[in-house]
Amino acid sequence: MEVIFSLVVGIFFAAAVYLMLSKKIIRILLGIVLLGNAVNMLLFTAGRLTPAIPPIIPGGVDVLPPGTANPLPQALILTAIVISFSFFCFLLVLTYRAYQDLGTDDTGEMRVAEPLEDPLPPSGY
């Protein structure tokens, strides 16, 4: 099962990089979301996929018994989900405002800071 999850994580990373190299802002945004999901699945896979006992310490014992699930990747994934969702919401609002102001979602046409009419800087002094 871990091999299948590893392949899926690799496919997610490849698709995320492909989408983030696009010129359209929406594709870049979807690539960032897919990258966050790939990282979450990578952490989940690194925590071992076993039908283990829940990570609850029984009474009278100081450590987890062998065969229990590792709680650290679960906590990291939960935190990463919250952070990636808030980052996605911020980027979504930023993308919407850029589309409202500029009227396009193509990064090649978003040249407000560097207009095409300006002359090039001098090549030497």
Side-chain angles (χ1 to χ4, degrees), residues 26-51:
I26 297 298
R27 288 184 185 171
I28 295 171
L29 186 63
L30 291 176
I32 290 172
V33 169
L34 198 59
L35 183 69
N37 288 334
V39 169
N40 290 342
M41 285 185 65
L42 178 69
L43 289 173
F44 186 68
T45 306
R48 285 182 279 132
L49 303 172
T50 58

mmCIF file with all atom_site columns, all heavy atoms in Angstrom, residues 26-51:
data_model
loop_
_atom_site.group_PDB
_atom_site.id
_atom_site.type_symbol
_atom_site.label_atom_id
_atom_site.label_alt_id
_atom_site.label_comp_id
_atom_site.label_asym_id
_atom_site.label_entity_id
_atom_site.label_seq_id
_atom_site.pdbx_PDB_ins_code
_atom_site.Cartn_x
_atom_site.Cartn_y
_atom_site.Cartn_z
_atom_site.occupancy
_atom_site.B_iso_or_equiv
_atom_site.pdbx_formal_charge
_atom_site.auth_seq_id
_atom_site.auth_comp_id
_atom_site.auth_asym_id
_atom_site.auth_atom_id
_atom_site.pdbx_PDB_model_num
ATOM 1   N N   . ILE A 1 26 ? -4.987 30.940 -12.617 1.00 0.00 ? 26 ILE A N   1
ATOM 2   C CA  . ILE A 1 26 ? -5.848 29.903 -12.040 1.00 0.00 ? 26 ILE A CA  1
ATOM 3   C C   . ILE A 1 26 ? -5.119 28.560 -12.012 1.00 0.00 ? 26 ILE A C   1
ATOM 4   O O   . ILE A 1 26 ? -5.202 27.814 -11.028 1.00 0.00 ? 26 ILE A O   1
ATOM 5   C CB  . ILE A 1 26 ? -7.176 29.804 -12.826 1.00 0.00 ? 26 ILE A CB  1
ATOM 6   C CG1 . ILE A 1 26 ? -7.951 31.109 -12.725 1.00 0.00 ? 26 ILE A CG1 1
ATOM 7   C CG2 . ILE A 1 26 ? -8.016 28.650 -12.346 1.00 0.00 ? 26 ILE A CG2 1
ATOM 8   C CD1 . ILE A 1 26 ? -8.350 31.488 -11.329 1.00 0.00 ? 26 ILE A CD1 1
ATOM 9   N N   . ARG A 1 27 ? -4.389 28.250 -13.071 1.00 0.00 ? 27 ARG A N   1
ATOM 10  C CA  . ARG A 1 27 ? -3.625 26.996 -13.085 1.00 0.00 ? 27 ARG A CA  1
ATOM 11  C C   . ARG A 1 27 ? -2.520 27.015 -12.038 1.00 0.00 ? 27 ARG A C   1
ATOM 12  O O   . ARG A 1 27 ? -2.246 26.000 -11.408 1.00 0.00 ? 27 ARG A O   1
ATOM 13  C CB  . ARG A 1 27 ? -3.033 26.769 -14.472 1.00 0.00 ? 27 ARG A CB  1
ATOM 14  C CG  . ARG A 1 27 ? -4.061 26.402 -15.490 1.00 0.00 ? 27 ARG A CG  1
ATOM 15  C CD  . ARG A 1 27 ? -3.401 26.099 -16.807 1.00 0.00 ? 27 ARG A CD  1
ATOM 16  N NE  . ARG A 1 27 ? -4.399 25.861 -17.835 1.00 0.00 ? 27 ARG A NE  1
ATOM 17  C CZ  . ARG A 1 27 ? -4.123 25.740 -19.101 1.00 0.00 ? 27 ARG A CZ  1
ATOM 18  N NH1 . ARG A 1 27 ? -2.873 25.825 -19.520 1.00 0.00 ? 27 ARG A NH1 1
ATOM 19  N NH2 . ARG A 1 27 ? -5.078 25.532 -19.982 1.00 0.00 ? 27 ARG A NH2 1
ATOM 20  N N   . ILE A 1 28 ? -1.884 28.153 -11.877 1.00 0.00 ? 28 ILE A N   1
ATOM 21  C CA  . ILE A 1 28 ? -0.851 28.274 -10.840 1.00 0.00 ? 28 ILE A CA  1
ATOM 22  C C   . ILE A 1 28 ? -1.459 28.055 -9.465  1.00 0.00 ? 28 ILE A C   1
ATOM 23  O O   . ILE A 1 28 ? -0.894 27.363 -8.616  1.00 0.00 ? 28 ILE A O   1
ATOM 24  C CB  . ILE A 1 28 ? -0.160 29.648 -10.937 1.00 0.00 ? 28 ILE A CB  1
ATOM 25  C CG1 . ILE A 1 28 ? 0.593  29.770 -12.259 1.00 0.00 ? 28 ILE A CG1 1
ATOM 26  C CG2 . ILE A 1 28 ? 0.772  29.882 -9.760  1.00 0.00 ? 28 ILE A CG2 1
ATOM 27  C CD1 . ILE A 1 28 ? 1.123  31.144 -12.547 1.00 0.00 ? 28 ILE A CD1 1
ATOM 28  N N   . LEU A 1 29 ? -2.628 28.627 -9.238  1.00 0.00 ? 29 LEU A N   1
ATOM 29  C CA  . LEU A 1 29 ? -3.323 28.468 -7.968  1.00 0.00 ? 29 LEU A CA  1
ATOM 30  C C   . LEU A 1 29 ? -3.689 27.008 -7.712  1.00 0.00 ? 29 LEU A C   1
ATOM 31  O O   . LEU A 1 29 ? -3.481 26.489 -6.608  1.00 0.00 ? 29 LEU A O   1
ATOM 32  C CB  . LEU A 1 29 ? -4.578 29.347 -7.955  1.00 0.00 ? 29 LEU A CB  1
ATOM 33  C CG  . LEU A 1 29 ? -5.364 29.435 -6.671  1.00 0.00 ? 29 LEU A CG  1
ATOM 34  C CD1 . LEU A 1 29 ? -4.527 30.061 -5.580  1.00 0.00 ? 29 LEU A CD1 1
ATOM 35  C CD2 . LEU A 1 29 ? -6.616 30.248 -6.890  1.00 0.00 ? 29 LEU A CD2 1
ATOM 36  N N   . LEU A 1 30 ? -4.196 26.330 -8.734  1.00 0.00 ? 30 LEU A N   1
ATOM 37  C CA  . LEU A 1 30 ? -4.517 24.905 -8.580  1.00 0.00 ? 30 LEU A CA  1
ATOM 38  C C   . LEU A 1 30 ? -3.259 24.072 -8.360  1.00 0.00 ? 30 LEU A C   1
ATOM 39  O O   . LEU A 1 30 ? -3.282 23.074 -7.624  1.00 0.00 ? 30 LEU A O   1
ATOM 40  C CB  . LEU A 1 30 ? -5.288 24.413 -9.800  1.00 0.00 ? 30 LEU A CB  1
ATOM 41  C CG  . LEU A 1 30 ? -6.701 24.953 -9.951  1.00 0.00 ? 30 LEU A CG  1
ATOM 42  C CD1 . LEU A 1 30 ? -7.316 24.467 -11.256 1.00 0.00 ? 30 LEU A CD1 1
ATOM 43  C CD2 . LEU A 1 30 ? -7.559 24.550 -8.783  1.00 0.00 ? 30 LEU A CD2 1
ATOM 44  N N   . GLY A 1 31 ? -2.155 24.466 -8.976  1.00 0.00 ? 31 GLY A N   1
ATOM 45  C CA  . GLY A 1 31 ? -0.897 23.768 -8.750  1.00 0.00 ? 31 GLY A CA  1
ATOM 46  C C   . GLY A 1 31 ? -0.419 23.908 -7.320  1.00 0.00 ? 31 GLY A C   1
ATOM 47  O O   . GLY A 1 31 ? 0.104  22.956 -6.728  1.00 0.00 ? 31 GLY A O   1
ATOM 48  N N   . ILE A 1 32 ? -0.601 25.082 -6.728  1.00 0.00 ? 32 ILE A N   1
ATOM 49  C CA  . ILE A 1 32 ? -0.213 25.289 -5.334  1.00 0.00 ? 32 ILE A CA  1
ATOM 50  C C   . ILE A 1 32 ? -1.080 24.440 -4.404  1.00 0.00 ? 32 ILE A C   1
ATOM 51  O O   . ILE A 1 32 ? -0.583 23.846 -3.439  1.00 0.00 ? 32 ILE A O   1
ATOM 52  C CB  . ILE A 1 32 ? -0.287 26.793 -4.989  1.00 0.00 ? 32 ILE A CB  1
ATOM 53  C CG1 . ILE A 1 32 ? 0.831  27.525 -5.720  1.00 0.00 ? 32 ILE A CG1 1
ATOM 54  C CG2 . ILE A 1 32 ? -0.200 27.022 -3.484  1.00 0.00 ? 32 ILE A CG2 1
ATOM 55  C CD1 . ILE A 1 32 ? 0.764  29.020 -5.618  1.00 0.00 ? 32 ILE A CD1 1
ATOM 56  N N   . VAL A 1 33 ? -2.371 24.359 -4.710  1.00 0.00 ? 33 VAL A N   1
ATOM 57  C CA  . VAL A 1 33 ? -3.264 23.520 -3.896  1.00 0.00 ? 33 VAL A CA  1
ATOM 58  C C   . VAL A 1 33 ? -2.870 22.050 -4.017  1.00 0.00 ? 33 VAL A C   1
ATOM 59  O O   . VAL A 1 33 ? -2.819 21.322 -3.027  1.00 0.00 ? 33 VAL A O   1
ATOM 60  C CB  . VAL A 1 33 ? -4.736 23.736 -4.319  1.00 0.00 ? 33 VAL A CB  1
ATOM 61  C CG1 . VAL A 1 33 ? -5.640 22.711 -3.691  1.00 0.00 ? 33 VAL A CG1 1
ATOM 62  C CG2 . VAL A 1 33 ? -5.179 25.128 -3.961  1.00 0.00 ? 33 VAL A CG2 1
ATOM 63  N N   . LEU A 1 34 ? -2.569 21.616 -5.230  1.00 0.00 ? 34 LEU A N   1
ATOM 64  C CA  . LEU A 1 34 ? -2.165 20.234 -5.447  1.00 0.00 ? 34 LEU A CA  1
ATOM 65  C C   . LEU A 1 34 ? -0.837 19.934 -4.772  1.00 0.00 ? 34 LEU A C   1
ATOM 66  O O   . LEU A 1 34 ? -0.628 18.838 -4.244  1.00 0.00 ? 34 LEU A O   1
ATOM 67  C CB  . LEU A 1 34 ? -2.087 19.955 -6.950  1.00 0.00 ? 34 LEU A CB  1
ATOM 68  C CG  . LEU A 1 34 ? -2.088 18.504 -7.386  1.00 0.00 ? 34 LEU A CG  1
ATOM 69  C CD1 . LEU A 1 34 ? -3.352 17.813 -6.916  1.00 0.00 ? 34 LEU A CD1 1
ATOM 70  C CD2 . LEU A 1 34 ? -1.999 18.425 -8.894  1.00 0.00 ? 34 LEU A CD2 1
ATOM 71  N N   . LEU A 1 35 ? 0.067  20.902 -4.754  1.00 0.00 ? 35 LEU A N   1
ATOM 72  C CA  . LEU A 1 35 ? 1.341  20.728 -4.064  1.00 0.00 ? 35 LEU A CA  1
ATOM 73  C C   . LEU A 1 35 ? 1.130  20.562 -2.560  1.00 0.00 ? 35 LEU A C   1
ATOM 74  O O   . LEU A 1 35 ? 1.786  19.729 -1.925  1.00 0.00 ? 35 LEU A O   1
ATOM 75  C CB  . LEU A 1 35 ? 2.258  21.917 -4.342  1.00 0.00 ? 35 LEU A CB  1
ATOM 76  C CG  . LEU A 1 35 ? 3.657  21.837 -3.750  1.00 0.00 ? 35 LEU A CG  1
ATOM 77  C CD1 . LEU A 1 35 ? 4.455  20.768 -4.458  1.00 0.00 ? 35 LEU A CD1 1
ATOM 78  C CD2 . LEU A 1 35 ? 4.351  23.168 -3.856  1.00 0.00 ? 35 LEU A CD2 1
ATOM 79  N N   . GLY A 1 36 ? 0.211  21.334 -1.987  1.00 0.00 ? 36 GLY A N   1
ATOM 80  C CA  . GLY A 1 36 ? -0.097 21.177 -0.567  1.00 0.00 ? 36 GLY A CA  1
ATOM 81  C C   . GLY A 1 36 ? -0.668 19.810 -0.251  1.00 0.00 ? 36 GLY A C   1
ATOM 82  O O   . GLY A 1 36 ? -0.311 19.187 0.756   1.00 0.00 ? 36 GLY A O   1
ATOM 83  N N   . ASN A 1 37 ? -1.538 19.310 -1.130  1.00 0.00 ? 37 ASN A N   1
ATOM 84  C CA  . ASN A 1 37 ? -2.087 17.972 -0.922  1.00 0.00 ? 37 ASN A CA  1
ATOM 85  C C   . ASN A 1 37 ? -1.014 16.900 -1.075  1.00 0.00 ? 37 ASN A C   1
ATOM 86  O O   . ASN A 1 37 ? -1.035 15.888 -0.368  1.00 0.00 ? 37 ASN A O   1
ATOM 87  C CB  . ASN A 1 37 ? -3.235 17.718 -1.898  1.00 0.00 ? 37 ASN A CB  1
ATOM 88  C CG  . ASN A 1 37 ? -4.457 18.509 -1.550  1.00 0.00 ? 37 ASN A CG  1
ATOM 89  O OD1 . ASN A 1 37 ? -4.665 18.875 -0.404  1.00 0.00 ? 37 ASN A OD1 1
ATOM 90  N ND2 . ASN A 1 37 ? -5.277 18.800 -2.544  1.00 0.00 ? 37 ASN A ND2 1
ATOM 91  N N   . ALA A 1 38 ? -0.076 17.107 -1.998  1.00 0.00 ? 38 ALA A N   1
ATOM 92  C CA  . ALA A 1 38 ? 1.010  16.144 -2.172  1.00 0.00 ? 38 ALA A CA  1
ATOM 93  C C   . ALA A 1 38 ? 1.899  16.086 -0.935  1.00 0.00 ? 38 ALA A C   1
ATOM 94  O O   . ALA A 1 38 ? 2.314  15.006 -0.509  1.00 0.00 ? 38 ALA A O   1
ATOM 95  C CB  . ALA A 1 38 ? 1.831  16.503 -3.408  1.00 0.00 ? 38 ALA A CB  1
ATOM 96  N N   . VAL A 1 39 ? 2.167  17.241 -0.353  1.00 0.00 ? 39 VAL A N   1
ATOM 97  C CA  . VAL A 1 39 ? 2.987  17.273 0.863   1.00 0.00 ? 39 VAL A CA  1
ATOM 98  C C   . VAL A 1 39 ? 2.249  16.587 2.015   1.00 0.00 ? 39 VAL A C   1
ATOM 99  O O   . VAL A 1 39 ? 2.850  15.829 2.795   1.00 0.00 ? 39 VAL A O   1
ATOM 100 C CB  . VAL A 1 39 ? 3.360  18.725 1.223   1.00 0.00 ? 39 VAL A CB  1
ATOM 101 C CG1 . VAL A 1 39 ? 3.973  18.812 2.606   1.00 0.00 ? 39 VAL A CG1 1
ATOM 102 C CG2 . VAL A 1 39 ? 4.299  19.291 0.189   1.00 0.00 ? 39 VAL A CG2 1
ATOM 103 N N   . ASN A 1 40 ? 0.945  16.808 2.125   1.00 0.00 ? 40 ASN A N   1
ATOM 104 C CA  . ASN A 1 40 ? 0.166  16.142 3.167   1.00 0.00 ? 40 ASN A CA  1
ATOM 105 C C   . ASN A 1 40 ? 0.192  14.624 2.989   1.00 0.00 ? 40 ASN A C   1
ATOM 106 O O   . ASN A 1 40 ? 0.346  13.879 3.959   1.00 0.00 ? 40 ASN A O   1
ATOM 107 C CB  . ASN A 1 40 ? -1.275 16.642 3.165   1.00 0.00 ? 40 ASN A CB  1
ATOM 108 C CG  . ASN A 1 40 ? -1.384 18.068 3.645   1.00 0.00 ? 40 ASN A CG  1
ATOM 109 O OD1 . ASN A 1 40 ? -0.472 18.590 4.274   1.00 0.00 ? 40 ASN A OD1 1
ATOM 110 N ND2 . ASN A 1 40 ? -2.489 18.705 3.336   1.00 0.00 ? 40 ASN A ND2 1
ATOM 111 N N   . MET A 1 41 ? 0.041  14.168 1.757   1.00 0.00 ? 41 MET A N   1
ATOM 112 C CA  . MET A 1 41 ? 0.087  12.721 1.515   1.00 0.00 ? 41 MET A CA  1
ATOM 113 C C   . MET A 1 41 ? 1.484  12.166 1.764   1.00 0.00 ? 41 MET A C   1
ATOM 114 O O   . MET A 1 41 ? 1.633  11.023 2.215   1.00 0.00 ? 41 MET A O   1
ATOM 115 C CB  . MET A 1 41 ? -0.367 12.408 0.093   1.00 0.00 ? 41 MET A CB  1
ATOM 116 C CG  . MET A 1 41 ? -1.856 12.537 -0.082  1.00 0.00 ? 41 MET A CG  1
ATOM 117 S SD  . MET A 1 41 ? -2.410 12.046 -1.709  1.00 0.00 ? 41 MET A SD  1
ATOM 118 C CE  . MET A 1 41 ? -2.025 10.323 -1.709  1.00 0.00 ? 41 MET A CE  1
ATOM 119 N N   . LEU A 1 42 ? 2.522  12.964 1.484   1.00 0.00 ? 42 LEU A N   1
ATOM 120 C CA  . LEU A 1 42 ? 3.885  12.527 1.764   1.00 0.00 ? 42 LEU A CA  1
ATOM 121 C C   . LEU A 1 42 ? 4.100  12.349 3.264   1.00 0.00 ? 42 LEU A C   1
ATOM 122 O O   . LEU A 1 42 ? 4.680  11.345 3.705   1.00 0.00 ? 42 LEU A O   1
ATOM 123 C CB  . LEU A 1 42 ? 4.880  13.538 1.205   1.00 0.00 ? 42 LEU A CB  1
ATOM 124 C CG  . LEU A 1 42 ? 6.351  13.254 1.454   1.00 0.00 ? 42 LEU A CG  1
ATOM 125 C CD1 . LEU A 1 42 ? 6.785  12.035 0.653   1.00 0.00 ? 42 LEU A CD1 1
ATOM 126 C CD2 . LEU A 1 42 ? 7.194  14.458 1.083   1.00 0.00 ? 42 LEU A CD2 1
ATOM 127 N N   . LEU A 1 43 ? 3.624  13.294 4.050   1.00 0.00 ? 43 LEU A N   1
ATOM 128 C CA  . LEU A 1 43 ? 3.719  13.155 5.512   1.00 0.00 ? 43 LEU A CA  1
ATOM 129 C C   . LEU A 1 43 ? 2.920  11.968 6.012   1.00 0.00 ? 43 LEU A C   1
ATOM 130 O O   . LEU A 1 43 ? 3.351  11.240 6.913   1.00 0.00 ? 43 LEU A O   1
ATOM 131 C CB  . LEU A 1 43 ? 3.234  14.436 6.196   1.00 0.00 ? 43 LEU A CB  1
ATOM 132 C CG  . LEU A 1 43 ? 4.125  15.660 6.084   1.00 0.00 ? 43 LEU A CG  1
ATOM 133 C CD1 . LEU A 1 43 ? 3.416  16.866 6.663   1.00 0.00 ? 43 LEU A CD1 1
ATOM 134 C CD2 . LEU A 1 43 ? 5.432  15.422 6.787   1.00 0.00 ? 43 LEU A CD2 1
ATOM 135 N N   . PHE A 1 44 ? 1.757  11.760 5.422   1.00 0.00 ? 44 PHE A N   1
ATOM 136 C CA  . PHE A 1 44 ? 0.912  10.629 5.817   1.00 0.00 ? 44 PHE A CA  1
ATOM 137 C C   . PHE A 1 44 ? 1.593  9.304  5.490   1.00 0.00 ? 44 PHE A C   1
ATOM 138 O O   . PHE A 1 44 ? 1.560  8.366  6.289   1.00 0.00 ? 44 PHE A O   1
ATOM 139 C CB  . PHE A 1 44 ? -0.445 10.731 5.110   1.00 0.00 ? 44 PHE A CB  1
ATOM 140 C CG  . PHE A 1 44 ? -1.435 9.709  5.536   1.00 0.00 ? 44 PHE A CG  1
ATOM 141 C CD1 . PHE A 1 44 ? -1.968 9.715  6.807   1.00 0.00 ? 44 PHE A CD1 1
ATOM 142 C CD2 . PHE A 1 44 ? -1.849 8.724  4.656   1.00 0.00 ? 44 PHE A CD2 1
ATOM 143 C CE1 . PHE A 1 44 ? -2.884 8.771  7.209   1.00 0.00 ? 44 PHE A CE1 1
ATOM 144 C CE2 . PHE A 1 44 ? -2.769 7.772  5.045   1.00 0.00 ? 44 PHE A CE2 1
ATOM 145 C CZ  . PHE A 1 44 ? -3.282 7.801  6.326   1.00 0.00 ? 44 PHE A CZ  1
ATOM 146 N N   . THR A 1 45 ? 2.226  9.220  4.335   1.00 0.00 ? 45 THR A N   1
ATOM 147 C CA  . THR A 1 45 ? 2.917  8.000  3.941   1.00 0.00 ? 45 THR A CA  1
ATOM 148 C C   . THR A 1 45 ? 4.162  7.775  4.786   1.00 0.00 ? 45 THR A C   1
ATOM 149 O O   . THR A 1 45 ? 4.506  6.639  5.105   1.00 0.00 ? 45 THR A O   1
ATOM 150 C CB  . THR A 1 45 ? 3.303  8.063  2.450   1.00 0.00 ? 45 THR A CB  1
ATOM 151 O OG1 . THR A 1 45 ? 2.129  8.350  1.692   1.00 0.00 ? 45 THR A OG1 1
ATOM 152 C CG2 . THR A 1 45 ? 3.886  6.773  1.963   1.00 0.00 ? 45 THR A CG2 1
ATOM 153 N N   . ALA A 1 46 ? 4.850  8.858  5.157   1.00 0.00 ? 46 ALA A N   1
ATOM 154 C CA  . ALA A 1 46 ? 6.044  8.727  5.986   1.00 0.00 ? 46 ALA A CA  1
ATOM 155 C C   . ALA A 1 46 ? 5.700  8.222  7.387   1.00 0.00 ? 46 ALA A C   1
ATOM 156 O O   . ALA A 1 46 ? 6.547  7.626  8.052   1.00 0.00 ? 46 ALA A O   1
ATOM 157 C CB  . ALA A 1 46 ? 6.761  10.063 6.083   1.00 0.00 ? 46 ALA A CB  1
ATOM 158 N N   . GLY A 1 47 ? 4.484  8.412  7.825   1.00 0.00 ? 47 GLY A N   1
ATOM 159 C CA  . GLY A 1 47 ? 4.059  7.955  9.142   1.00 0.00 ? 47 GLY A CA  1
ATOM 160 C C   . GLY A 1 47 ? 3.628  6.503  9.162   1.00 0.00 ? 47 GLY A C   1
ATOM 161 O O   . GLY A 1 47 ? 3.067  6.040  10.148  1.00 0.00 ? 47 GLY A O   1
ATOM 162 N N   . ARG A 1 48 ? 3.871  5.764  8.112   1.00 0.00 ? 48 ARG A N   1
ATOM 163 C CA  . ARG A 1 48 ? 3.544  4.344  7.951   1.00 0.00 ? 48 ARG A CA  1
ATOM 164 C C   . ARG A 1 48 ? 2.044  4.120  7.869   1.00 0.00 ? 48 ARG A C   1
ATOM 165 O O   . ARG A 1 48 ? 1.274  4.617  8.684   1.00 0.00 ? 48 ARG A O   1
ATOM 166 C CB  . ARG A 1 48 ? 4.118  3.500  9.088   1.00 0.00 ? 48 ARG A CB  1
ATOM 167 C CG  . ARG A 1 48 ? 5.596  3.299  8.967   1.00 0.00 ? 48 ARG A CG  1
ATOM 168 C CD  . ARG A 1 48 ? 6.133  2.435  10.066  1.00 0.00 ? 48 ARG A CD  1
ATOM 169 N NE  . ARG A 1 48 ? 6.310  3.272  11.247  1.00 0.00 ? 48 ARG A NE  1
ATOM 170 C CZ  . ARG A 1 48 ? 5.876  2.940  12.449  1.00 0.00 ? 48 ARG A CZ  1
ATOM 171 N NH1 . ARG A 1 48 ? 5.275  1.815  12.652  1.00 0.00 ? 48 ARG A NH1 1
ATOM 172 N NH2 . ARG A 1 48 ? 6.057  3.746  13.470  1.00 0.00 ? 48 ARG A NH2 1
ATOM 173 N N   . LEU A 1 49 ? 1.658  3.371  6.867   1.00 0.00 ? 49 LEU A N   1
ATOM 174 C CA  . LEU A 1 49 ? 0.262  3.023  6.654   1.00 0.00 ? 49 LEU A CA  1
ATOM 175 C C   . LEU A 1 49 ? 0.033  1.607  7.162   1.00 0.00 ? 49 LEU A C   1
ATOM 176 O O   . LEU A 1 49 ? 0.293  0.636  6.462   1.00 0.00 ? 49 LEU A O   1
ATOM 177 C CB  . LEU A 1 49 ? -0.092 3.106  5.166   1.00 0.00 ? 49 LEU A CB  1
ATOM 178 C CG  . LEU A 1 49 ? 0.152  4.443  4.490   1.00 0.00 ? 49 LEU A CG  1
ATOM 179 C CD1 . LEU A 1 49 ? -0.060 4.321  2.997   1.00 0.00 ? 49 LEU A CD1 1
ATOM 180 C CD2 . LEU A 1 49 ? -0.784 5.475  5.060   1.00 0.00 ? 49 LEU A CD2 1
ATOM 181 N N   . THR A 1 50 ? -0.385 1.498  8.373   1.00 0.00 ? 50 THR A N   1
ATOM 182 C CA  . THR A 1 50 ? -0.651 0.178  8.944   1.00 0.00 ? 50 THR A CA  1
ATOM 183 C C   . THR A 1 50 ? -2.002 0.201  9.640   1.00 0.00 ? 50 THR A C   1
ATOM 184 O O   . THR A 1 50 ? -2.435 1.243  10.139  1.00 0.00 ? 50 THR A O   1
ATOM 185 C CB  . THR A 1 50 ? 0.429  -0.211 9.973   1.00 0.00 ? 50 THR A CB  1
ATOM 186 O OG1 . THR A 1 50 ? 0.471  0.788  11.000  1.00 0.00 ? 50 THR A OG1 1
ATOM 187 C CG2 . THR A 1 50 ? 1.804  -0.322 9.334   1.00 0.00 ? 50 THR A CG2 1
ATOM 188 N N   . PRO A 1 51 ? -2.659 -0.938 9.691   1.00 0.00 ? 51 PRO A N   1
ATOM 189 C CA  . PRO A 1 51 ? -3.895 -0.993 10.483  1.00 0.00 ? 51 PRO A CA  1
ATOM 190 C C   . PRO A 1 51 ? -3.535 -1.094 11.963  1.00 0.00 ? 51 PRO A C   1
ATOM 191 O O   . PRO A 1 51 ? -3.705 -2.129 12.594  1.00 0.00 ? 51 PRO A O   1
ATOM 192 C CB  . PRO A 1 51 ? -4.586 -2.242 9.963   1.00 0.00 ? 51 PRO A CB  1
ATOM 193 C CG  . PRO A 1 51 ? -3.481 -3.110 9.461   1.00 0.00 ? 51 PRO A CG  1
ATOM 194 C CD  . PRO A 1 51 ? -2.405 -2.197 8.988   1.00 0.00 ? 51 PRO A CD  1
#
